[in-house]
Amino acid sequence: MNISRASAFSRVETRGGQLGDEGEASSFSGSSSIGVGVTSPLFSIIVPTYNEERFLPALLESIEKQTFQDYEVIIADDCSTDMTQSIARAYGARIVNNNGIGEYPSRNAAATVARGSILVFTGADTLMPRTLLSSAAAKFEKDPKLTGIYCPTYPYDAPLWAKIEFAMFHVLNTLIYWIAKEANASTAFFAIRTEMFRKTRGFQNTCFGDSTFTRQLSKGLRIRPCLDLVIFVSGRRTKMGMAGFNRHHIGLVMNVIFKPFRGSRWLRAENEHRNKIHSRASQS
């Protein structure tokens, strides 16, 4: 489902003369659908990256194909050493340069410069169905009190066992919302009104920063799952094998479902382990 490396690099080369300057000042030149409504778009789509040249083109292609076109794309890049930034510019995205600060601080940094009324947090290895943004826009328009939404994720290229685990987790997560009104969103897709996000301190710098943040918000604000939406994610986490993948998944389940374990020593150690995996220093 990913476009080829050669195709992505070809696009970078053919559009190089139309691109803006380095860094956050880079802006859309008008030759791509990404960036339509640059002055004040409805959505600001925020994507944290570090060396994502393999996955990023497919995400940006899926964004360009959206039936709803009032958005900007912000790439929050943590000093990539590959073609990530060149690819982002070729698709007209804005770039926020960070310096090894990690995934969630990068999301927070991008949110401070976003122009959109609604922030859409996603990942570089996701694919958006064509009607995802239009459906999200309709939900926010219909309910002025709605603060944020999230949806199930489907690992399109994962092995069967991982797909089953994803499905089971989303069933449990939805039951928790119905019973306890506790939202546990994933930043594979999480949309929130910009005004409300900026009244908070943003995501915590932990490996479960998204579910922790939305769980706290849902105590006083309307954050809800939308089961009629879905976003596709790569199964790259499953490449570490069932044991490695389930180490993360068990931690996630403990954090989301079993409240007594949220402050446990094991979960704190897992947070540190995952933060090292996602840090720029560990990948260099």
Side-chain angles (χ1 to χ4, degrees):
M1 296 182 71
N2 294 326
I3 66 174
S4 70
R5 178 187 177 103
S7 174
F9 289 0
S10 174
R11 179 164 187 157
V12 170
E13 292 170 0
T14 57
R15 297 187 58 192
Q18 304 173 10
L19 305 180
D21 296 330
E22 296 279 336
E24 197 281 325
S26 252
S27 61
F28 171 66
S29 64
S31 58
S32 164
S33 58
I34 287 183
V36 171
V38 156
T39 302
S40 183
L42 180 62
F43 292 120
S44 288
I45 303 171
I46 294 174
V47 187
T49 57
Y50 175 72
N51 288 353
E52 292 286 5
E53 67 179 20
R54 177 186 173 193
F55 291 100
L56 187 59
L59 166 64
L60 298 179
E61 288 283 350
S62 74
I63 293 174
E64 281 197 338
K65 293 176 181 177
Q66 291 295 299
T67 57
F68 187 89
Q69 289 289 303
D70 189 16
Y71 58 79
E72 66 174 352
V73 177
I74 304 176
I75 301 299
D77 189 63
D78 231 7
C79 295
S80 290
T81 58
D82 65 356
M83 295 290 288
T84 294
Q85 290 203 13
S86 296
I87 292 169
R89 293 189 188 94
Y91 282 87
R94 299 170 63 197
I95 297 175
V96 173
N97 284 305
N98 300 311
N99 187 24
I101 61 177
E103 176 187 352
Y104 290 111
S106 291
R107 295 185 188 277
N108 293 337
T112 64
V113 300
R115 301 174 179 133
S117 301
I118 297 171
L119 305 175
V120 175
F121 295 101
T122 190
D125 66 332
T126 63
L127 297 173
M128 292 188 178
R130 293 184 69 249
T131 60
L132 183 65
L133 293 183
S134 61
S135 297
K139 293 180 187 300
F140 281 103
E141 182 179 8
K142 182 178 180 180
D143 185 357
K145 294 184 179 180
L146 180 65
T147 298
I149 60 173
Y150 58 102
C151 69
T153 59
Y154 179 79
Y156 59 84
D157 61 349
L160 179 60
W161 60 264
K163 293 178 179 178
I164 293 173
E165 285 193 25
F166 267 78
M168 291 174 62
F169 173 77
H170 287 302
V171 169
L172 289 173
N173 197 17
T174 303
L175 286 174
I176 290 174
Y177 176 79
W178 286 343
I179 295 171
K181 297 302 178 184
E182 185 177 279
N184 290 281
S186 163
T187 42
F189 178 80
F190 173 54
I192 180 173
R193 295 188 190 273
T194 306
E195 179 183 6
M196 297 306 300
F197 184 86
R198 289 177 175 166
K199 290 180 179 179
T200 73
R201 296 181 179 180
F203 297 105
Q204 297 179 26
N205 190 24
T206 69
C207 70
F208 306 118
D210 44 11
S211 59
T212 300
F213 177 70
T214 55
R215 185 166 61 242
Q216 293 171 344
L217 280 185
S218 64
K219 293 177 180 179
L221 299 171
R222 188 172 299 176
I223 310 286
R224 65 181 180 87
C226 296
L227 301 184
D228 57 331
L229 305 180
V230 67
I231 192 163
F232 299 101
V233 299
S234 78
R236 61 179 171 180
R237 282 183 176 173
T238 65
K239 300 299 188 293
M240 64 182 71
M242 185 178 291
F245 175 78
N246 279 305
R247 173 177 174 173
H248 169 73
H249 226 162
I250 289 171
L252 179 61
V253 169
M254 288 173 63
N255 182 66
V256 170
I257 298 174
F258 299 109
K259 294 182 180 181
F261 291 100
R262 288 174 182 167
S264 69
R265 181 180 300 177
W266 185 90
L267 198 55
R268 289 198 301 269
E270 178 63 13
N271 278 332
E272 294 177 3
H273 170 73
R274 299 303 302 183
N275 283 341
K276 288 179 181 178
I277 289 177
H278 288 293
S279 71
R280 180 172 64 85
S282 70
Q283 300 179 54
S284 59

